[in-house]
Amino acid sequence: MSEHDDAIAVVGLAGRFPGAPDVAALWRNLLDGVDSVHDHTDDELRALGVGEAAIADPALVRGHGRLDGVSLSRAGFDAEFFGVPDAELATMDPQQRLFVEQCWVALADAAVDPAGFDGVVGVFAGASVNRSYLYRLAAAEPGADPERFLAPGWSADYLPAQAAYRLGLTGPAVAVQTACSSSLVAVCLAAQGLLDFRCDVALAGGVSVTEPRFRRSELISPDRRCRAFDASTAGSGYGSGVAVVALKRLPDALADGDQVYAVLRGWAVNNDGAARAGFAAPGLDGQAAVVAEALAGAELSASDIGLVETHGSGTLVGDAIELAALRQALAQFGGIDAGSDGSTSFNGIVLGAVKTNLGNLDAAAGVTGLVKAVLAVRHGTIPANLHFERPNPELDLTGLQIPVKPVEFGPGVRRAGVSSFGLGGTNAHVIVAEPPARPARPEPSGVHRLVLSARSTEALLAMAAGLRRHLSISGARLDDVAFTLAGRPAFDVRAVVEAETIDAATAALAPLYSVEPERVPPAAVAHGSPGGKTG
């Protein structure tokens, strides 16, 4: 049996994050060390429906990892495209709208058209509590039937089923509700579903839409900034976000010539059980066990791991237990090399914590950490953790590096572990590795046609801007990009960019960057029936 036979390929990435409209923008922000937590003004809080008493409360935490232009409104959602009637749209949880959109993006990134795909697509996902109902509609409709909260447009139970229905996916549609670990547990279930041949492509992810209505507590820092592993750590802060990964059995992905961002080599899910101080407290033995099980499944040693993208809650107890559990698990596989304290010859493990950039994205937190780890092993660079100034003296950081600036992976195959621990004790850990080397191919030559297709000129402009971001940082080959774009569904509004190099393609996209459709040169965009020639 080849080591590839039970590995899972990540063939598509999608998401929207605080300060980043897509995965490419997220990666750029992480590399640049951008703090994407927003501090709301009084007027912004009022616009969100926060009452005057709450605004005046000094315990209100104003910082929030928000999604620009989303909040709880329906603006920007193409209901006609996804077949959502107006009556359903009026009461549809914004989390469901965002998740359906990003499932579509992930499939497009993987060049999978559900209507023409010769296989079964499954979807596994989790969502946060529906705060649209709690904060808005329930208050606006006193006396409304409480059963309405359980309707398909509201309840998190129906999140993957909405995606399956709107996109025509016939594989398993499984809702996962394990609090902050929901989306990484969903990834584990999706990977196992692929190995069990329950589906041929699996979408996995999570979504959370919330607002700054939280009061300070031991879990929530006063300014909503997460200072994981720092001496001044005082909790984290919540934020909104959505992320979806498209997965495929690695042998199938290689045979089909798919792009492979990274490979999932091992995964595990467990629960802490009763061995902890309370229901909401983390359990050391449970966390250690889930890391050890994932490593054993991947048949790797501790020295094979260069990065651990941590849960990184930013609480004194949570950080201490997580690091103790990590050491306990890795001790079974050779332990952590003492390293050389952050020098270029460092041989230990780098600790990542994306919550320091974005806040805690709750049900989307685990998959967001996975996206970061996938991009890190793909590009060979580990972004910095923010807000780290002085190590917590209570933590044993021997052989562990907290990066305060981007650092490079050491020599050899790049691998990372990703942890996510849910309140209530459900833990998940995934081992990510760079994809296997493929036979060398000649560099792309000649003119390549990049075909963009959308339902409207506005959507095509947004697609062009997203493609430019992707080309600028992805390191992709132009022929591969052209191949992927050609495999996507054809819609009424299309454009073709012809170029010989990435730089030339980026320049050729320039006429489509305008946010004013009437300024786009007529020759740049063509309208017609799907499948027709583009201009």
Side-chain angles (χ1 to χ4, degrees):
M1 174 185 291
S2 165
E3 66 172 324
H4 300 160
D5 288 347
D6 58 356
I8 299 298
V10 180
V11 296
L13 297 174
R16 293 182 65 181
F17 311 91
D22 53 32
V23 169
L26 171 69
W27 183 240
R28 174 48 56 197
N29 285 350
L30 294 179
L31 293 177
D32 290 344
V34 175
D35 180 353
S36 295
V37 176
H38 175 74
D39 295 305
H40 285 77
T41 66
D42 287 356
D43 287 342
E44 287 173 334
L45 292 173
R46 291 187 183 98
L48 292 172
V50 179
E52 293 300 324
I55 292 174
D57 186 346
L60 177 71
V61 181
R62 296 166 177 264
H64 181 70
R66 67 176 183 176
L67 290 181
D68 292 335
V70 175
S71 185
L72 299 178
S73 74
R74 298 187 294 276
F77 179 73
D78 192 339
E80 180 184 358
F81 180 85
F82 291 107
V84 181
D86 289 344
E88 293 182 32
L89 179 64
T91 57
M92 192 176 187
D93 183 357
Q95 297 179 125
Q96 293 193 7
R97 301 196 301 266
L98 283 168
F99 184 73
V100 170
E101 285 178 340
Q102 294 308 308
C103 283
W104 171 265
V105 175
L107 288 172
D109 191 45
V112 174
D113 179 1
F117 179 62
D118 185 19
V120 176
V121 181
V123 55
F124 303 77
S128 294
V129 171
N130 182 342
R131 287 183 168 83
S132 173
Y133 181 88
L134 294 178
Y135 292 159
R136 298 297 179 83
L137 297 182
E141 300 180 18
D145 182 2
E147 288 294 313
R148 184 178 183 182
F149 182 63
L150 303 177
W154 294 96
S155 175
D157 295 1
Y158 300 103
L159 179 74
Q162 284 281 8
Y165 176 65
R166 304 300 172 188
L167 303 179
L169 314 180
T170 59
V174 179
V176 181
Q177 298 303 125
T178 61
C180 293
S181 62
S182 295
S183 56
L184 199 64
V185 171
V187 170
C188 297
L189 295 179
Q192 196 60 48
L194 287 164
L195 289 191
D196 293 342
F197 288 85
R198 305 297 180 189
C199 51
D200 302 295
V201 169
L203 299 174
V207 59
S208 178
V209 173
T210 185
E211 293 181 349
R213 296 171 185 251
F214 291 90
R215 294 168 57 88
R216 298 174 192 169
S217 71
E218 62 181 14
L219 297 178
I220 301 176
S221 69
D223 63 357
R224 281 281 179 97
R225 268 63 178 184
C226 177
R227 294 171 170 81
F229 313 116
D230 189 80
S232 64
T233 188
S236 185
Y238 286 93
S240 298
V242 54
V244 181
V245 296
L247 307 175
K248 204 171 187 180
R249 289 179 291 273
L250 180 58
D252 293 346
L254 295 176
D256 293 343
D258 293 330
Q259 67 170 344
V260 178
Y261 287 101
V263 174
L264 309 186
R265 286 286 308 277
W267 51 86
V269 177
N270 73 2
N271 191 277
D272 293 326
R276 46 195 163 126
F279 177 78
L284 189 153
D285 289 342
Q287 291 185 14
V290 80
V291 175
E293 183 182 344
L295 270 172
E299 299 182 337
L300 296 172
S301 66
S303 61
D304 293 320
I305 304 300
L307 162 70
V308 173
E309 178 60 28
T310 65
H311 181 68
S313 65
T315 66
L316 289 171
V317 173
D319 287 356
I321 288 179
E322 178 166 12
L323 289 195
L326 181 63
R327 288 192 176 280
Q328 180 174 309
L330 296 181
Q332 304 173 48
F333 299 88
I336 303 174
D337 192 307
S340 56
D341 194 26
S343 74
T344 55
S345 59
F346 183 78
N347 297 315
I349 291 176
V350 178
L351 299 182
V354 76
K355 289 183 178 69
T356 65
N357 301 88
L358 307 177
N360 185 349
L361 303 190
D362 198 49
V367 70
T368 300
L370 177 68
V371 168
K372 175 186 170 183
V374 164
L375 294 172
V377 300
R378 176 178 175 85
H379 296 293
T381 301
I382 302 171
N385 292 347
L386 302 188
H387 316 304
F388 185 80
E389 297 177 356
R390 185 166 59 91
N392 184 340
E394 302 299 319
L395 304 179
D396 180 5
L397 294 173
T398 306
L400 299 172
Q401 181 180 1
I402 313 292
V404 294
K405 60 182 180 180
V407 297
E408 302 302 311
F409 273 89
V413 178
R414 299 189 290 266
R415 301 185 184 91
V418 183
S419 293
S420 190
F421 309 132
L423 190 149
T426 298
N427 309 308
H429 191 80
V430 175
I431 305 295
V432 183
E434 63 178 306
R438 296 188 178 185
R441 293 184 293 161
E443 287 299 314
S445 60
V447 175
H448 299 278
R449 294 169 57 86
L450 308 182
V451 182
L452 286 73
S453 176
R455 289 280 296 270
S456 68
T457 300
E458 291 80 1
L460 190 135
L461 297 178
M463 181 180 294
L467 179 59
R468 176 185 177 276
R469 287 192 295 270
H470 177 76
L471 292 176
S472 67
I473 70 167
S474 67
R477 292 166 52 111
L478 194 59
D479 53 343
D480 289 339
V481 174
F483 176 82
T484 299
L485 291 173
R488 294 179 177 178
F491 297 109
D492 285 348
V493 183
R494 298 181 296 280
V496 169
V497 167
E498 295 185 337
E500 296 186 22
T501 66
I502 292 289
D503 289 344
T506 302
L509 284 165
L512 301 179
Y513 295 167
S514 171
V515 295
E516 301 179 69
E518 65 272 15
R519 293 188 178 179
V520 179
V525 178
H527 296 256
S529 60
K533 293 186 180 295
T534 57

